[in-house]
Amino acid sequence: MDRDQHITQDAAEFYAVYLMAKTAEEMGVAILPHSKELWQEFVDYLAIAHRDWAISDFGSRYPAYKANADAQVPAFVQRLAVAFPGSKFAFEVDEARLRNLGKKADFILTIDEPSRTYAVSLKNYVGPGGVKRPQVSSGTFLSFAAGFVFERNGVGTYVDPRTPDTSFKGSNTKDRDAVLAFEGRADLAPLLMKLVDLQQHVRSRLLTLRYYDQAAVKGVVAEIVPQAQDTLLSVFDVLGHDVVRQKFLERANLDGGEDALYFDGLQFADSITNPRFRELYARINDPNTTFKVVKAGQSLRFSFEANGAVVVSADVPLTINTNGAWHRPKPPYQGKQLKVDKGVPVELEWGEIRPRKSKEIATSTNLYLDLAAAGVFGGS
DNA sequence: CTGTCAATAGTGACGTGGTT
DNA sequence: AACCACGTCACTATTGACAG
């Protein structure tokens, strides 16, 4: 994704929240008229130093983000008004603060009566099908496991139970092991260390390649994935079924702690007004619903089932993120090209290793939630 | 040709170690 | 002791590959 698209995407969150407030005002269901302030936040975001975008750039460079918001956001507010008759609403962008707290939400919805707030994750998909199978979390092998073992309170950081109100980084082996020892769970330490070792192995095997070699990467993937699957399943065995289930629900944004507003140009699913989402939450928590984790190809598959049918499932493919280690833009080129590698200009052939960025090769996990199969869109 | 599974590259946060 | 440059880690939405 290029820079313009990234800016458009971030700006689209401000725009969507502005549009919510504007719609609420027009419908007479705004707690306070505050769309002007939200519009200003949107404009400020576009105009921020060294960016200098005009409002028209937002709608022209990657038009789908604005078009999707225009198509879906007013209808969301209308659904709110139906779901909470007589209530009024307010909206605020709070993405950065919430993300740094390890939350997924992008904006806060306030309802006056009954008085409460909702932290909502907004996903505005441009590509086809994304909304049907949203990616709700990602990380490295270690951070994926650590999310089940520890209490997450930020990106890659966790609550340190040894001292109140402090955090530790999951990547810090000394702290990680000390926390586990403190909690009497030292049996988890070698399992987490194994995941660290797999990442070290990936680096030592791939950093020697001057040119990108897909077969070599796939070879290393094939080596590490079965080990990672077994290690993660061992972690889950030690933690126990109930802990894994609860942590999975948190991670998949299915525990009810935060809400969702996912849409593309054609489809939407929001967890606040959609009864199918409510039914999904209810079925997940039904005592007759079972939860399991199994290996499925390169993935771990998490699934809830009732009466022999899948209620909801999620796949977590385990792979390597080469993280831009080799410079191979499209289309390929002949000769050498100047590339700024972590701030340092270097002359590179197509497919040649970037001296600095290559240090960031890492193990990789993504959690894809099969929302379409869960029936929240009205099909299947 | 499409759906499914997998892989990608840029980026922000944070820690660390060097320099004044 | 404060600052800052730099490296590492983790995270996201999108694109790619390939089977059927």
Side-chain angles (χ1 to χ4, degrees):
Chain A
M1 179 158 57
D2 68 25
R3 182 180 145 81
D4 281 6
Q5 187 172 4
H6 190 85
I7 292 169
T8 304
Q9 192 177 80
D10 281 351
E13 293 186 358
F14 288 93
Y15 179 74
V17 175
Y18 151 74
L19 202 51
M20 290 172 202
K22 183 87 165 83
T23 307
E25 281 167 28
E26 286 168 2
M27 293 172 62
V29 295
I31 292 173
L32 286 169
H34 63 320
S35 66
K36 278 204 173 62
E37 288 83 348
L38 291 168
W39 175 259
Q40 195 57 48
E41 283 184 40
F42 164 66
V43 172
D44 289 348
Y45 182 82
L46 288 175
I48 215 164
H50 304 113
R51 184 180 299 160
D52 285 335
W53 280 31
I55 291 154
S56 56
D57 291 318
F58 171 65
S60 62
R61 300 194 187 196
Y62 281 89
Y65 292 96
K66 178 177 186 299
N68 288 358
D70 288 336
Q72 302 290 2
V73 165
F76 168 61
V77 179
Q78 283 154 15
R79 292 198 299 277
L80 283 176
V82 172
F84 301 92
S87 299
K88 294 189 172 180
F89 312 99
F91 307 89
E92 92 189 82
V93 179
D94 209 4
E95 189 240 338
R97 185 182 69 86
L98 291 163
R99 188 182 51 227
N100 293 341
L101 291 171
K103 309 282 188 185
K104 304 167 193 300
D106 300 297
F107 70 93
I108 303 288
L109 160 67
T110 303
I111 298 184
D112 67 342
E113 194 60 48
S115 171
R116 68 158 291 182
T117 61
Y118 295 83
V120 188
S121 167
L122 183 151
K123 292 183 188 291
N124 176 350
Y125 285 98
V126 174
V131 72
K132 295 180 178 174
R133 192 170 175 259
Q135 185 199 111
V136 293
S137 86
S138 61
T140 60
F141 290 177
L142 176 65
S143 75
F144 182 69
F148 286 86
V149 173
F150 304 108
E151 189 183 340
R152 232 173 139 259
N153 67 354
V155 175
T157 64
Y158 307 90
V159 171
D160 189 335
R162 294 171 297 175
T163 29
D165 303 320
T166 61
S167 304
F168 72 99
K169 290 191 68 172
S171 57
N172 183 319
T173 296
K174 199 160 156 279
D175 284 346
R176 196 176 64 231
D177 288 355
V179 166
L180 288 171
F182 176 82
E183 296 177 321
R185 303 196 293 168
D187 49 345
L188 285 164
L191 294 172
L192 296 183
M193 200 60 219
K194 172 71 181 178
L195 299 173
V196 174
D197 291 344
L198 288 175
Q199 174 150 295
Q200 280 312 312
H201 177 74
V202 167
R203 288 179 177 170
S204 62
R205 290 294 299 276
L206 294 180
L207 279 171
T208 60
L209 300 175
R210 182 166 170 193
Y211 296 96
Y212 179 69
D213 178 344
Q214 189 184 52
V217 174
K218 286 206 183 288
V220 178
V221 169
E223 246 181 278
I224 64 166
V225 163
Q227 300 181 59
Q229 286 173 316
D230 290 340
T231 305
L232 287 166
L233 289 174
S234 298
V235 169
F236 294 160
D237 279 343
V238 172
L239 291 175
H241 182 272
D242 289 346
V243 169
V244 175
R245 181 181 175 287
Q246 182 54 35
K247 289 285 191 180
F248 169 77
L249 287 174
E250 284 171 24
R251 220 169 166 75
N253 209 12
L254 288 173
D255 67 335
E258 293 183 276
D259 280 276
L261 170 58
Y262 302 156
F263 58 81
D264 60 18
L266 298 172
Q267 305 207 73
F268 63 83
D270 84 74
S271 61
I272 298 174
T273 72
N274 185 344
R276 290 172 184 277
F277 244 113
R278 301 278 129 200
E279 286 160 23
L280 178 59
Y281 288 159
R283 282 192 287 160
I284 286 169
N285 291 301
D286 188 296
N288 292 320
T289 300
T290 59
F291 170 70
K292 67 177 181 186
V293 189
V294 298
K295 294 191 236 182
Q298 215 178 306
S299 300
L300 291 177
R301 176 164 297 160
F302 296 74
S303 61
F304 289 83
E305 294 176 23
N307 309 317
V310 174
V311 172
V312 67
S313 75
D315 278 353
V316 179
L318 304 172
T319 184
I320 291 170
N321 190 346
T322 52
N323 257 329
W326 293 274
H327 183 50
R328 44 203 187 97
K330 278 159 287 201
Y333 59 91
Q334 293 292 318
K336 294 211 168 193
Q337 194 179 75
L338 190 67
K339 171 70 181 174
V340 177
D341 180 35
K342 304 284 287 180
V344 177
V346 281
E347 292 271 341
L348 295 175
E349 292 172 59
W350 192 88
E352 194 171 1
I353 198 158
R354 290 165 59 186
R356 289 162 186 258
K357 192 69 169 94
S358 60
K359 303 233 168 60
E360 299 180 12
I361 292 175
T363 55
S364 172
T365 66
N366 295 288
L367 197 161
Y368 296 102
L369 189 62
D370 197 343
L371 269 192
V376 299
F377 294 107
S380 61

